[in-house]
Amino acid sequence: MARSALVPASLSIAVACFGAAAFLSAPCSQKPPSSPRLGSSSSNLLGLQEGVQTEAPVFEEAAASTPNVWSWAASLVSLGAALGLAFGIYAAEPARAITAEQFSQLTYQQVKGSGLANRCPTVESSGTSIAVKPGSRLKNVCFEPKSFAVEFDTDKGKEFATTKLTTRQTYTLAFIEGSLEPNPITFTEQDGMDFAATTVKLPDGQYVPFLFTVKELVAKGEGSEFKPGFTWGGEFSVPSYRTGGFLDPKGRGMYLGYDQAVALPAAQSDGAEGQDELFKETNKVFDIGKGAIEMEVNKVNADLGEIGGVFVSKQPSDTDMGAKAPRTILLKGIFYGKVV
């Protein structure tokens, strides 16, 4: 068989038996014969010297005749490991936030795939405060969550568990705007990308979907100017995670699909026990919950009218259109806005 045909077969056997260690381990070469212990007699010394001289060429020829078929694989794997390490270091780093002015100078191709579309602009501090005049507006408001926690029941009571985000980088709210009035400062949300369907995973593996939103937000704070340390907040509406046209796995919907997916006699057999849960799964409703948010300004740019800070929001999760009890979602992150 040709040597070129033996190399792929050897690679397959090595990977199956020893994994990556087969590529990273150097080939086992023969050890040269160890020098025997010398006696006191000159005859023994002479005989041993002759034995060594006659055996040495045989060992060198055997070592030279054994080809090192793994030399190319070791160099290739070393290069791949180096590239993988570099990719892991740089690819895992999230996109750094930039200012709104820098973001406006980028083209679509520059933003695409960079992660910047999911980041709120950062604010470069300039000045001490921004006065709010009657008839002002707050534009380009952005909310970027940094952590997601879900409330669950434990032996010690209700606690919030840190979750793992399973949604791609599409969970940031952006381009929100609304009216802004002073004394007290009151922001009324009116338009923008004010909701984002998001799903997180609990430590026990359970998925919790919810609609991250600030719809119909009315946030108030004492005073007539934004400055570092200014706090404000309010309540907002949380629409249903799914709309009326959604069909569940059994084809049931709010105004589409089947009315129910069980036999009528079975549904009415006992008349009471077990019917509530079945009724909730069959009778789809569009639930609208309530949420609350608190914000604190920590940066202002008086020249550009920009404010930035942190927020804490609490809202209910999805109810599967009335079939499940909602969970409480706690979100923490940063926000941005521009006073015009």
Side-chain angles (χ1 to χ4, degrees), residues 141-261:
V141 181
C142 176
F143 293 93
E144 180 186 347
K146 294 293 186 180
S147 66
F148 305 83
V150 178
E151 187 180 34
F152 68 104
D153 295 327
T154 63
D155 297 337
K156 300 180 181 179
K158 293 186 177 182
E159 298 180 358
F160 283 93
T162 303
T163 61
K164 178 182 179 182
L165 180 68
T166 60
T167 303
R168 294 189 177 185
Q169 296 188 16
T170 57
Y171 51 84
T172 295
L173 309 183
F175 307 110
I176 298 172
E177 63 176 88
S179 61
L180 192 63
E181 299 293 337
N183 296 319
I185 290 180
T186 303
F187 169 69
T188 303
E189 189 267 342
Q190 296 173 341
D191 195 9
M193 300 174 61
D194 52 8
F195 69 93
T198 311
T199 303
V200 294
K201 185 178 181 180
L202 290 172
D204 60 359
Q206 182 179 1
Y207 292 92
V208 180
F210 66 97
L211 194 71
F212 174 44
T213 181
V214 290
K215 275 186 173 294
E216 302 176 354
L217 170 65
V218 179
K220 297 182 179 181
E222 296 297 330
S224 60
E225 61 181 10
F226 289 112
K227 57 185 177 180
F230 176 80
T231 58
W232 53 322
E235 294 185 347
F236 54 88
S237 300
V238 183
S240 175
Y241 181 82
R242 305 189 188 279
T243 59
F246 172 78
L247 299 180
D248 66 6
K250 294 185 178 181
R252 297 170 298 190
M254 184 174 175
Y255 56 79
L256 292 177
Y258 299 107
D259 291 335
Q260 55 186 3

Side-chain angles (χ1 to χ4, degrees), residues 119-137:
R119 300 298 307 273
C120 287
T122 185
V123 178
E124 295 182 351
S125 297
S126 176
T128 58
S129 63
I130 299 176
V132 177
K133 301 178 181 179
S136 300
R137 292 187 66 84

